[in-house]
Amino acid sequence: TLDETVRINVTPLPTAAISITRNEICSGESAQINFTGTPGAIVTYTVNGTQQTMTLSGTGQASINVSPTVTTNYVIVSVRTAAPQSCSQLINGQNVQVIVTPPPTATISVVSPDVCLGTNAVVTITGTANATVVYTINGVTHTAVLNGSGIFVVPAAAYTVNTTFTLVSITTAAPTQCTRQLSGQQVVLTIRTLPTASIAINADTICIGGTATVTITGTPNATVVYTQNGTSF
């Protein structure tokens, strides 16, 4: 009669899952990738195809903070338990994606930086499509929403003084609203005063064959069009 017993301990296959706190971020921001699964297990995952490993804690958790500059995929490939019972399992369908919104951009321009007093000026802001731009006109704050082509034309106005247009910030449209402060982006509109001219004569009545002096005075270096008995000069 034999009385011998052996016991086989079966270690369950390890598990692993991945999640993310925020899957859409602005360039320069960070997101937290969370791993959960069998305590102490070693997780193999890829970052845009590049393989890396992560060891879960005694409570079966681990996390990493990432700040990708482009949209990035994090995919769990496999998980294995630590020695001595090193059991492994391939993982399918466990992945997250971090979508990175590039920083918005904006520039400002004017068709002609010099205009005559009372003349309309065309100032245009161009940048990221559908973004909201904060700008100032001589220190007064305004907002503009760029169209689908990334263009906004400042409403025309007859400016009477030198005017400075300065970009302050730009914010992308929802759902990922990324804001970028703008500096050094401005145009200065210089207003030129209207030229003046007057005409005078030293004698309004002369004898036949006599002479008279007609004098035109006004803005220096200006060109004056005048008529003499209806003929232009």
Side-chain angles (χ1 to χ4, degrees):
T1 301
L2 301 176
D3 187 14
E4 293 184 8
T5 302
V6 294
R7 181 176 180 175
I8 298 176
N9 293 320
V10 179
T11 301
L13 290 178
T15 61
I18 190 172
S19 62
I20 189 172
T21 56
R22 181 183 176 193
N23 66 345
E24 293 187 17
I25 64 173
C26 302
S27 179
E29 294 182 340
S30 63
Q32 182 173 293
I33 309 293
N34 300 312
F35 297 88
T36 56
T38 303
I42 300 170
V43 178
T44 299
Y45 64 100
T46 61
V47 180
N48 276 358
T50 300
Q51 196 169 94
Q52 299 187 34
T53 60
M54 168 69 68
T55 301
L56 302 183
S57 68
T59 59
Q61 297 178 343
S63 63
I64 55 174
N65 288 318
V66 297
S67 297
T69 56
V70 295
T71 297
T72 305
N73 295 306
Y74 299 82
V75 181
I76 292 182
V77 177
S78 63
V79 59
R80 63 183 173 87
T81 54
Q85 287 84 24
S86 184
C87 302
S88 63
Q89 178 176 213
L90 296 178
I91 303 294
N92 292 317
Q94 286 294 328
N95 62 85
V96 295
Q97 184 181 65
V98 179
I99 300 173
V100 180
T101 300
T105 60
T107 58
I108 190 168
S109 62
V110 60
V111 173
S112 176
D114 293 327
V115 296
C116 296
L117 181 69
T119 302
N120 289 340
V122 179
V123 178
T124 304
I125 300 173
T126 57
T128 302
N130 304 312
T132 299
V133 177
V134 177
Y135 67 100
T136 62
I137 301 178
N138 279 353
V140 179
T141 300
H142 301 264
T143 59
V145 178
L146 306 186
N147 63 18
S149 299
I151 298 173
F152 175 81
V153 179
V154 178
Y159 297 98
T160 59
V161 296
N162 292 345
T163 305
T164 301
F165 301 81
T166 304
L167 299 185
V168 178
S169 66
I170 181 171
T171 302
T172 54
T176 306
Q177 293 182 299
C178 302
T179 299
R180 180 183 182 185
Q181 299 301 315
L182 303 172
S183 61
Q185 288 287 340
Q186 68 176 29
V187 293
V188 178
L189 191 64
T190 302
I191 307 302
R192 305 299 182 186
T193 56
L194 296 178
T196 61
S198 61
I199 191 170
I201 190 171
N202 64 339
D204 56 5
T205 302
I206 60 173
C207 299
I208 294 178
T211 60
T213 301
V214 178
T215 303
I216 299 174
T217 57
T219 301
N221 303 313
T223 300
V224 177
V225 177
Y226 65 97
T227 63
Q228 180 177 309
N229 287 343
T231 302
S232 295
F233 295 89

